[in-house]
Amino acid sequence: GLDEVICDAYEATSCAVDYLISLGHKNIGYIGEIPSLEKNDIINEHRYRAFKDTLAKNSIPVNDYYIKNITLSSKDGYDAMIEIIESGNLPSAIFCGNDITAIGVMRAIHKNGLRIPRDISIIGLDNIEISEYFRPSLTTIHVPKEELGRFSVKLLIDKINGGHDVNAVVKLPFKLIVRESCGVCKNDSE
């Protein structure tokens, strides 16, 4: 019974994973939140479901060793990546639930002497300002946050003023921002 202004997280995640696949990656990890059925976590469910569905659509199996369920933070991203590195079984690329998580993941990779994107490609979601200035700069999906807020306020004011009675859904576009953190997969055996 409410108006909604959204940027489709499912489609955005699918775009990110498709981009990694287009670079030849087949061993792709996921570091982010995984929904809890008990919590009815709808927002983050879209990202994880899109990740799995996009791999399945491309006949790529999900490798549970590359999946880390974390709170979206730099610290948890860092800790999750350290676990993956210490397992000795590295994916060629990782999708991170947001850019803050990706920054923690990238720090762990650098600390362990690995190189992005030569050894592992990283992609995030949000396009926060620091993503462009981090080295290497982070490939990410731009989510139009300011426009989301602007349209939400406009719809709310219109609703308060009696401007519309039906519930409106405004779907804003996302955009893949290609920077330096993703590269062509060099492992031909994948």
Side-chain angles (χ1 to χ4, degrees):
L2 301 172
D3 293 332
E4 291 183 80
V5 181
I6 62 170
C7 183
D8 193 319
Y10 183 95
E11 289 180 18
T13 300
S14 185
C15 174
V17 176
D18 275 335
Y19 178 66
L20 293 173
I21 293 168
S22 77
L23 296 173
H25 296 284
K26 294 180 183 169
N27 292 319
I28 303 171
Y30 175 95
I31 297 179
E33 292 181 327
I34 298 175
S36 166
L37 295 175
E38 298 84 45
K39 292 181 182 177
N40 194 20
D41 190 357
I42 294 172
I43 292 173
N44 293 312
E45 188 270 336
H46 293 309
R47 290 180 220 165
Y48 186 62
R49 187 169 45 92
F51 170 80
K52 291 191 318 181
D53 290 352
T54 305
L55 291 182
K57 173 183 79 176
N58 289 280
S59 302
I60 299 172
V62 174
N63 184 330
D64 291 336
Y65 293 111
Y66 304 152
I67 308 298
K68 295 295 177 185
N69 182 14
I70 63 160
T71 301
L72 298 176
S73 70
S74 291
K75 181 189 180 324
D76 284 0
Y78 177 90
D79 292 343
M81 191 64 220
I82 292 294
E83 285 180 27
I84 291 173
I85 291 168
E86 288 177 351
S87 77
N89 187 13
L90 287 178
S92 64
I94 293 180
F95 169 80
C96 297
N98 67 10
D99 289 356
I100 292 292
T101 300
I103 288 168
V105 167
M106 292 169 77
R107 176 78 177 117
I109 291 167
H110 289 301
K111 185 175 180 183
N112 282 275
L114 299 169
R115 291 173 288 184
I116 301 167
R118 183 177 173 196
D119 299 318
I120 188 166
S121 290
I122 304 296
I123 193 165
L125 186 111
D126 283 339
N127 194 29
I128 61 173
E129 184 178 2
I130 197 169
S131 300
E132 183 176 0
Y133 301 104
F134 203 76
R135 286 294 166 243
S137 58
L138 180 63
T139 298
T140 186
I141 300 291
H142 175 73
V143 175
K145 291 178 186 167
E146 288 181 19
E147 290 82 2
L148 286 168
R150 194 174 299 123
F151 276 98
S152 296
V153 170
K154 286 181 180 182
L155 277 175
L156 179 61
I157 290 170
D158 190 60
K159 188 90 155 191
I160 290 170
N161 292 331
H164 65 280
D165 293 325
V166 290
N167 296 321
V169 177
V170 177
K171 186 174 169 183
L172 299 179
F174 58 85
K175 181 180 177 185
L176 173 66
I177 307 294
V178 176
R179 294 191 181 118
E180 301 166 336
S181 67
C182 290
V184 173
C185 183
K186 295 183 178 29
N187 185 347
D188 294 331
S189 66
E190 287 193 12

